[in-house]
C-alpha cells in the first residue's frame, strides 16, 4: 500500500505542477500514470514541438517544459508509479480513498487529484486486416524515439499536422520516407505543407496521393505494404508503417467512479476549488469541465494551485495557512534543500 497526502492521477504538466504547489504546503504527492514516462501528451505526442503560451517562455519545446517541471518538483520527492492505470476506487470510513491500479498496486490518500488530460489516448487505427499482429513489429502509432528509424524505410499515412511534421523530421533520419494520403489536399499548417513540397521536389520525401494502404505483408515483421492508388494496386517495401490518423481520448475506468461526467469530461466546482461531486476528489487540467473552461496548460496550472489550497484544508481541518510569496518565504524541499532569494545586506553609508 502506497500512502500519500495527495494521489495525482496523470503525470502531464498540470499534475506535475500540482506537486510543486502541494510541496509549498508541506503535502506529499504520489503520481500514477498509464504512460511509461512522465509528461502526458507533451512527452507522448509532441515532445519536439514548440509551445508559445507559457508565461515567461516566448517559446519552449514541449519536452523541455516537462524537463523543467521535473526539475522544479525534484526537491519535493514525489513518488511515481508509471505504466499503470487507475482502475478502481474505494471510499474509506474516515473519508479517505484506496485506489487500485490495473496491476494491483494500491494507493491510500485523503485527497485524489485527477489530472489525466483528455483521458487515456487510443490511436485511430486504419481498417487493415491483421494490423494488430504487426503492432510492435513495424506498425507504430506514436513516434517516441526518432532514432529507431535511423537508416530505415518508413511509410507514414495521414493528412494532418502529425503526419506532415514527422515526415519532415524523419526525412533527415530515415533512409527513405514515403507519405501517403487518401486526398491530394492536406489539413495542416501551411508552412508544413510547403516544407513537404520542398522535400518532395528535392527527392527526400516520396508523396503518394490520393492513395490508401490496404494491406500489410511480412512473416515476423512489416516487409511491404499493399497500396491502392487511383484504383490500381501496387506493393511498396518498407521497414515501418506509421498511420497517424489522430487519437481518441477516453476517460477509461475513471468514468465508472460515480463522478459527474459531461461530454467525456469531469464536471467540477470552478467557483471554489475544482472539486468534483465526490468530496475529496478533484479534477484539474484538460480532464475537467465547467462554464468558460479553456483547455490550456496555463489554466491547468491555476487550477492545480487552488486545488492544493483546498486539499490542505481537508488534510489539516481547522488549521489556517498563511499564503506567502516564494520570493519572501523561499522554498524548503523535503530532501533538506532550500531555495531563497539573497538576503539584503545591512550596511551604513558613510
Amino acid at each position: 500500500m502506497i500512502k500519500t497526502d495527495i494521489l495525482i492521477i496523470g503525470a502531464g504538466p498540470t499534475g506535475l505542477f500540482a506537486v510543486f504547489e502541494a510541496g509549498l504546503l508541506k503535502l506529499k504527492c504520489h503520481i500514477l500514470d498509464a504512460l511509461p514516462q512522465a509528461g502526458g501528451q507533451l512527452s507522448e505526442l509532441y515532445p519536439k514541438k514548440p509551445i508559445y503560451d507559457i508565461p515567461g517562455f516566448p517559446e519552449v519545446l514541449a519536452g523541455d517544459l516537462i524537463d523543467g517541471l521535473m526539475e522544479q518538483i525534484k526537491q519535493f520527492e514525489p513518488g511515481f508509479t508509471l505504466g499503470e492505470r487507475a482502475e478502481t476506487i474505494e471510499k474509506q470510513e474516515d473519508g479517505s480513498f484506496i485506489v487500485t491500479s490495473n496491476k494491483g498496486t494500491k494507493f491510500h490518500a485523503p485527497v485524489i487529484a485527477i489530472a489525466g488530460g483528455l483521458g487515456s489516448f487510443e490511436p485511430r487505427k486504419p481498417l487493415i486486416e491483421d494490423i494488430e499482429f504487426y503492432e510492435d513489429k513495424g506498425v507504430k502509432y506514436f513516434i517516441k524515439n526518432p532514432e529507431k528509424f535511423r537508416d530505415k524505410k518508413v511509410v507514414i499515412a495521414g493528412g494532418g499536422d502529425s503526419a506532415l511534421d514527422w515526415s519532415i523530421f524523419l526525412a533527415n533520419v530515415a533512409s527513405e520516407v514515403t507519405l501517403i494520403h487518401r486526398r491530394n489536399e492536406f489539413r495542416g499548417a501551411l508552412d508544413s505543407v510547403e516544407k513537404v513540397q520542398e522535400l518532395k521536389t528535392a527527392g527526400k520525401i516520396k508523396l503518394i496521393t490520393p492513395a490508401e494502404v490496404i494491406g500489410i505483408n511480412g512473416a515476423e515483421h512489416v516487409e511491404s505494404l499493399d497500396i491502392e492508388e487511383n484504383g490500381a494496386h501496387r506493393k511498396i517495401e518498407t521497414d515501418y508503417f506509421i498511420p497517424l490518423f489522430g487519437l481518441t481520448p477516453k476517460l477509461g475506468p475513471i468514468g465508472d467512479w460515480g463522478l459527474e461526467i459531461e461530454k467525456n469530461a469531469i464536471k467540477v466546482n470552478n467557483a471554489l476549488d475544482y472539486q468534483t461531486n465526490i468530496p475529496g476528489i478533484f479534477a484539474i487540467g484538460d480532464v475537467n469541465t465547467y462554464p468558460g473552461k479553456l483547455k490550456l496548460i496555463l489554466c491547468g496550472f491555476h487550477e492545480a494551485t487552488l486545488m492544493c489550497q483546498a486539499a490542505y484544508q481537508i488534510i489539516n481541518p481547522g488549521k489556517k495557512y498563511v499564503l506567502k510569496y516564494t520570493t519572501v518565504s523561499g522554498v524548503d524541499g523535503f530532501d533538506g534543500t532550500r531555495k531563497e532569494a539573497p538576503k539584503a545586506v545591512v550596511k551604513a553609508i558613510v
Side-chain angles (χ1 to χ4, degrees), residues 141-175:
Y141 301 110
F142 305 102
I143 298 177
K144 298 177 184 177
N145 179 16
E147 281 300 313
K148 186 180 184 73
F149 307 101
R150 174 72 62 181
D151 301 324
K152 302 291 185 180
K153 293 181 179 179
V154 176
V155 172
I156 294 175
D161 282 316
S162 292
L164 292 165
D165 291 347
W166 281 117
S167 296
I168 293 167
F169 188 91
L170 293 179
N172 294 315
V173 175
S175 62

Side-chain angles (χ1 to χ4, degrees), residues 270-286:
N270 67 304
L272 186 61
D273 53 17
Y274 305 99
Q275 198 159 189
T276 68
N277 59 303
I278 300 178
I281 301 181
F282 299 78
I284 53 176
D286 288 356

Side-chain angles (χ1 to χ4, degrees), residues 10-286:
T14 296
L16 294 178
F17 188 67
V19 174
F20 178 79
E21 288 297 321
L24 295 179
L25 300 169
K26 310 300 182 190
L27 302 178
K28 286 283 289 183
C29 295
H30 192 94
I31 296 182
L32 169 65
D33 198 296
L35 296 175
Q37 75 285 318
Q41 298 177 57
L42 276 66
S43 296
E44 188 75 7
L45 302 182
Y46 51 92
K48 300 298 183 183
K49 275 197 168 186
I51 303 173
Y52 300 104
D53 61 353
I54 302 299
F57 290 92
E59 177 180 337
V60 60
L61 294 180
D64 290 345
L65 177 60
I66 294 303
D67 290 342
L69 286 164
M70 290 291 285
E71 179 65 27
Q72 187 177 27
I73 67 175
K74 186 167 64 176
Q75 66 183 136
F76 293 125
E77 300 180 320
F80 284 90
T81 299
L82 301 174
E84 297 187 29
R85 183 183 66 241
E87 197 77 16
T88 63
I89 190 168
E90 302 169 69
K91 190 159 188 174
Q92 307 302 295
E93 289 185 7
D94 63 357
S96 64
F97 304 91
I98 291 179
V99 172
T100 304
S101 79
N102 62 320
K103 294 186 179 179
T105 308
K106 291 185 180 294
F107 309 86
H108 185 203
V111 172
I112 307 295
I114 302 171
L118 295 173
S120 300
F121 285 101
E122 297 180 7
R124 291 193 179 98
K125 302 178 183 181
L127 298 175
I128 299 175
E129 187 176 356
D130 296 330
I131 191 168
E132 286 81 9
F133 171 79
Y134 292 100
E135 290 171 0
D136 294 324
K137 299 175 184 177
V139 170
K140 301 287 182 183
Y141 301 110
F142 305 102
I143 298 177
K144 298 177 184 177
N145 179 16
E147 281 300 313
K148 186 180 184 73
F149 307 101
R150 174 72 62 181
D151 301 324
K152 302 291 185 180
K153 293 181 179 179
V154 176
V155 172
I156 294 175
D161 282 316
S162 292
L164 292 165
D165 291 347
W166 281 117
S167 296
I168 293 167
F169 188 91
L170 293 179
N172 294 315
V173 175
S175 62
E176 182 179 292
V177 173
T178 302
L179 176 58
I180 296 175
H181 184 37
R182 58 186 177 181
R183 299 186 183 90
N184 291 319
E185 301 79 19
F186 288 84
R187 189 183 296 274
L190 180 59
D191 58 342
S192 297
V193 176
E194 292 174 344
K195 183 63 177 177
V196 167
Q197 181 65 58
E198 291 174 15
L199 291 169
K200 178 199 172 189
T201 303
K204 299 198 73 174
I205 289 179
K206 294 182 178 179
L207 189 62
I208 305 178
T209 60
E212 196 170 354
V213 177
I214 58 172
I216 306 173
N217 310 295
E220 298 296 330
H221 194 277
V222 173
E223 296 175 7
S224 65
L225 302 174
D226 295 324
I227 308 296
E228 182 177 338
E229 182 183 8
N230 292 321
H233 291 190
R234 65 183 175 107
K235 193 184 300 285
I236 61 173
E237 293 183 357
T238 189
D239 299 303
Y240 289 96
F241 173 44
I242 309 172
L244 298 175
F245 297 144
L247 300 167
T248 302
K250 294 184 178 179
L251 279 177
I254 289 176
D256 300 322
W257 284 7
L259 300 166
E260 193 173 352
I261 307 295
E262 183 180 285
K263 296 181 180 178
N264 208 40
I266 302 170
K267 289 187 72 173
V268 295
N269 175 8
N270 67 304
L272 186 61
D273 53 17
Y274 305 99
Q275 198 159 189
T276 68
N277 59 303
I278 300 178
I281 301 181
F282 299 78
I284 53 176
D286 288 356

